[in-house]
Amino acid sequence: FFLSLKLEKKTKGKLQKQICQVVLDHFEKQYTAELGDAWSSVRDVLTSPWCWQHAVLLNRFSQRPGLESSLAEQGYQPAFPAALPYLPATLRCYSSTAPGRFPAQKHQPGRLKDYYLLNAASLLPVLALEVKDGEDVLDLCAAPGGKSVAILQCACPGHFHCNEYDDLRSRWLEQTIESFIPDPLINLMVISKLDGRQIGDLQPEFYDKVLVDAPCSNDRSWLFSADPQQAVLRLMQRKELSSLQFQLLSSAMKALRPGGSLVYSTCTLSRAENSDVINLLLSSCSSVMPVDISEMARGVSQEFTFLSGTQQHELLVLPQKGRAWGPMYVAKLKKASST
């Protein structure tokens, strides 16, 4: 116990030093204006990595005996106990209210991992997407691959296309897929390095479901930017992200079949990259309609804290002590059926 206390103190000191003041100042100004009173408790969690939590997503393609009882012994419980509009029996995720992390598994070529460690809120876009067996699915910005893996825990798409434009992140995606998915299923997938803004023109009206987990200002990692100059550059480039996100969304809509649905997600609290991007698409594209996800939000309200006042087609998970999940913004849209 004393050793862990000593380690925690050491870790606290180490992590405390790494908070990037220029990013924190920027967030302080923006999020006080956008989130009001909610910001101070969110800031406390974001700047305290020792209180962060990690959920454990089990891999249905690799059943390790005793794993679930081992998780239960360590205080983990099924993450989504409520009846949700969409919760396949094959999607099994465990979470704990205590901070800390279950031991990670190393990548071993030719051997599947038993579980994936993740922020539990990152499963919400997958649950909102409601993928069914046989559907044609596109994960437009797929790296590092956690949501692609989660989709395959839910269903077996007829055609599953995982795309990642960035070279380094693309290799990371390939390794994640190789670590969790058996070869016969990988052979049915397409993993590409296309510019996501062009996929809609390359494959118009091809997919039933599209996930756009967009490149965004990652609030958690940006707060710990080791290089202040890089942080300043990131904050300057931040203004351009919403334009890229809108272009990716527009491309995804083109790639969607009439009647198909799309989920957009980010891991930032920024309104400019969340609601504003979605509102711009809804106002500029008459074939796009919002889809109500409030029933899903109600079903998981025991596990997550949401920003109040959002519209029915969107939600924003706010990290809180004991529920340190998020930030995670999720919005669901549908393409009108052709008449």
Side-chain angles (χ1 to χ4, degrees):
F1 170 76
F2 291 112
L3 178 68
S4 69
L5 202 67
K6 208 183 273 182
L7 273 171
E8 190 181 301
K9 278 184 178 169
K10 194 177 171 186
T11 314
K12 277 190 183 185
K14 195 175 161 191
L15 289 164
Q16 199 65 41
K17 284 193 202 92
Q18 292 176 349
I19 289 172
C20 184
Q21 197 59 44
V22 66
V23 175
L24 185 57
D25 292 347
H26 181 89
F27 284 180
E28 193 75 47
K29 193 174 169 187
Q30 181 181 348
Y31 294 149
T32 300
E34 291 183 11
L35 304 176
D37 296 341
W39 166 239
S40 63
S41 58
V42 171
R43 180 191 56 216
D44 289 348
V45 173
L46 289 182
T47 54
S48 314
W50 57 89
C51 77
W52 295 359
Q53 293 154 260
H54 294 84
V56 182
L57 175 66
L58 304 194
N59 185 10
R60 68 166 164 155
F61 304 110
S62 171
Q63 307 285 357
R64 190 171 94 192
L67 177 57
E68 287 179 82
S69 52
S70 168
L71 283 162
E73 280 164 21
Q74 294 184 51
Y76 283 81
Q77 294 178 320
F80 303 105
L84 297 177
Y86 173 82
L87 185 63
T90 49
L91 180 78
R92 296 191 328 240
C93 182
Y94 284 77
S95 67
S96 163
T97 52
R101 190 179 188 135
F102 203 67
Q105 292 181 303
K106 283 194 165 64
H107 172 70
Q108 293 177 287
R111 188 169 170 191
L112 295 181
K113 291 186 182 182
D114 303 305
Y115 55 86
Y116 188 95
L117 300 178
L118 77 175
N119 182 322
S122 64
L123 288 176
L124 295 178
V126 175
L127 292 173
L129 198 60
E130 300 190 28
V131 176
K132 311 280 196 301
D133 286 347
E135 289 182 325
D136 295 324
V137 181
L138 168 64
D139 188 349
L140 190 71
C141 315
K147 293 181 183 68
S148 298
V149 166
I151 285 168
L152 289 167
Q153 302 307 314
C154 296
C156 285
H159 175 89
F160 191 25
H161 181 176
C162 299
N163 181 69
E164 178 55 53
Y165 182 53
D166 182 87
D167 206 44
L168 194 67
R169 287 174 62 81
S170 180
R171 286 204 290 277
W172 190 4
L173 168 66
E174 285 176 9
Q175 190 178 85
T176 302
I177 297 295
E178 189 188 312
S179 288
F180 287 91
I181 310 302
D183 284 344
L185 197 52
I186 292 178
N187 295 338
L188 299 175
M189 296 170 65
V190 172
I191 300 175
S192 67
K193 290 195 281 189
L194 299 165
D195 183 334
R197 293 169 293 186
Q198 295 168 358
I199 284 181
D201 289 324
L202 294 169
Q203 296 180 306
E205 300 193 348
F206 189 84
Y207 297 97
D208 300 300
K209 304 275 166 77
V210 179
L211 174 63
V212 183
D213 186 44
C216 66
S217 40
N218 185 325
D219 295 354
R220 280 189 187 232
S221 65
W222 281 25
L223 273 167
F224 296 90
S225 303
D227 179 354
Q229 286 170 312
Q230 186 198 32
V232 171
L233 187 64
R234 275 176 168 170
L235 292 172
M236 284 166 64
Q237 291 170 337
R238 194 177 198 209
K239 298 181 185 75
E240 296 157 29
L241 278 169
S242 56
S243 169
L244 170 65
Q245 290 155 347
F246 178 74
Q247 290 172 328
L248 289 168
L249 261 179
S250 302
S251 171
M253 269 297 164
K254 282 185 188 173
L256 202 59
R257 287 186 181 130
S261 49
L262 175 150
V263 168
Y264 173 78
S265 60
T266 73
C267 52
T268 181
L269 299 160
S270 175
R271 191 184 295 159
E273 299 175 52
N274 295 339
S275 298
D276 289 358
V277 175
I278 292 296
N279 290 338
L280 181 59
L281 189 75
L282 285 168
S283 62
S284 63
C285 190
S286 59
S287 65
V288 180
M289 300 176 294
V291 177
D292 186 348
I293 54 171
S294 57
E295 194 186 338
M296 180 186 83
R298 276 193 300 276
V300 295
S301 58
Q302 295 302 307
E303 283 95 29
F304 302 103
T305 301
F306 297 112
L307 178 68
S308 59
T310 57
Q311 297 181 79
Q312 287 185 320
H313 61 274
E314 59 179 356
L315 57 84
L316 178 61
V317 179
L318 301 177
Q320 301 291 313
K321 287 256 168 70
R323 306 200 234 187
W325 315 114
M328 179 60 56
Y329 175 79
V330 182
K332 187 168 185 178
L333 306 169
K334 188 174 180 176
K335 190 173 194 170
S337 301
S338 46
T339 48

